[in-house]
Structure formats: C-alpha cells, structure tokens
Amino acid sequence: MAGGASKVTVPVAGRSMIAWSVGAARGACDGVTLVVPVRMVEELVEGIDGVDTVVAGGGTRSASVRAGLGTVPEDVDVVVCHDAARPGASSGLFAAAIAAVRTGADAVVPALGVSDTLKRVSDWGDGGGLVVGTVDRSELFAVQTPQAFRLEVLVAVHAGSPEATDDAALVEAAGGTVMAIPGEDAAHKVTTAADLVIVETFLRSRTSGGGL
C-alpha cells in the first residue's frame, strides 16, 4: 500500500513521487493497492501504471491502513505498508523486508542509526529551552518504510480500530516480534522543499547508474 497527501503527485527526477513508490513496490510485490484521499481516487484510478486497486483512505493514518487491508486477498501471507512520500525506497528494500518476515518475524521495519547528538530539553518555546540531559544514541534508530507484516498479525492488531503513527508499534504493543533491517539513505521522507532536493539527488544518481 502506498499513500499520502496530494504532495505525492509532485514530480521528482522525472516522475511523480507516487509513481516512484508504486514502481518500487511492484518490483517486489504481487499486487499494489494505492490508498489516497477521497478527492484523488478518480484522478489516480487510470493514472498510475502497476496499481491493482485505488481506494479512499480514512480520516487518520491508521484508518487508511485499514482501508488498504480491506483490499488484500485472503491467501496473501505478507503485506507491505509504504509511505509514498518516500519515493527513493528501492525494490530491494521492499524485498528485504518481505524476506525478513518470512524468516519468522511478525513485522519488519527498515532503520537507520541516529547520527546527531540528542538532547532532552524542558519547556521548549519560541526562544528555545533548557537542556536537561544528553541521550545515549547507541541504541536509537530512525524508522522508515516500507514496513512488512504477516497479514494475519496486522489485521489482528488493527481490530478495534486503534490509532498509531507506526503500525509496528501496534505489533510491539500486542507482544509481536518486530525486526529492524538496514534502511536506505535514499528512502528519505519528503516533508519540505529541501527534502525534495535531497531525494531528487538520490534518484537521479540511481537512474544515471550512480548507484546511490
């Protein structure tokens, strides 16, 4: 599943972000469902190669995941959730996440080690705040998508319509096994115009044979 706001139609390195994400998913998955805001459904039904189904998402991220789950055939064993605002994620990353689930994990997340020094700051305001401590970053990782799950596990943890910013967190809370695998620098999330420049650099290098 790939989803996101209308920003994912913005072009980067010659294709829309959503087209890059769908292409990567298609390279590793048997089927692709696109979960988008309701206003975009008609626009994208015929517009993206490699998509099997386009459905309207819900009012929250978790509701959108459940909308996508409703399209998955019962005989599927592994499902992958991806944020189309990460157009630089490769098919190889999708395949690695799927393979790791099939080794026995309930969920698999790509992760990158945190390189910045981290501080705890109290009472943060417009003018800053007081540093109250330094965080040990040796076991801290930034999590990316695509994230892969055993289908029955993801369906079970979404029973009761919980809300979470990360599906793997729901699996953790339910006592499931979550494995982290090496992520990719190119799977950087596009939130700002600066992020778009970063991801475009990765994708142009990839298409020109630079190998990033």
Side-chain angles (χ1 to χ4, degrees), residues 56-74:
T60 65
R61 181 192 179 283
S62 295
S64 294
V65 170
R66 290 187 285 274
L69 284 174
T71 72
V72 179
E74 292 183 359

Side-chain angles (χ1 to χ4, degrees), residues 7-212:
K7 71 178 180 182
V8 297
T9 62
V10 171
V12 54
R15 301 166 67 189
S16 68
M17 287 197 281
I18 207 165
W20 280 108
S21 294
V22 168
R26 195 80 219 185
C29 304
D30 294 326
V32 176
T33 292
L34 202 57
V35 184
V36 298
V38 63
R39 67 183 183 279
M40 294 177 62
V41 172
E42 291 188 10
E43 171 189 351
L44 294 177
V45 161
E46 302 293 339
I48 304 291
D49 291 336
V51 174
D52 297 285
T53 307
V54 179
V55 297
T60 65
R61 181 192 179 283
S62 295
S64 294
V65 170
R66 290 187 285 274
L69 284 174
T71 72
V72 179
E74 292 183 359
D75 61 349
V76 169
D77 60 339
V78 178
V79 64
V80 182
C81 296
H82 181 55
D83 185 346
R86 296 182 185 271
S90 69
S91 289
L93 189 58
F94 278 80
I98 293 167
V101 170
R102 289 185 169 144
T103 66
D106 293 316
V108 174
V109 298
L112 294 177
V114 176
S115 58
D116 293 325
T117 297
L118 302 176
K119 301 286 187 181
R120 288 193 180 90
V121 179
S122 66
D123 300 321
W124 180 267
D126 291 341
L130 180 67
V131 172
V132 295
T134 300
V135 179
D136 179 6
R137 69 187 184 199
S138 63
E139 294 185 351
L140 296 180
F141 290 79
V143 172
Q144 304 174 315
T145 67
Q147 299 182 0
F149 303 85
R150 286 201 296 127
L151 176 60
E152 63 186 46
V153 170
L154 190 58
V155 170
V157 298
H158 272 281
S161 301
E163 294 298 326
T165 58
D166 176 71
D167 294 293
L170 296 176
V171 177
E172 292 172 47
T177 302
V178 180
M179 178 184 295
I181 62 171
E184 295 177 340
D185 289 334
H188 184 81
K189 186 174 182 178
V190 176
T191 303
T192 68
D195 295 322
L196 193 62
V197 173
I198 292 169
V199 173
E200 178 143 6
T201 300
F202 280 115
L203 289 173
R204 288 202 180 279
S205 179
R206 183 181 296 166
T207 56
S208 65
L212 288 176

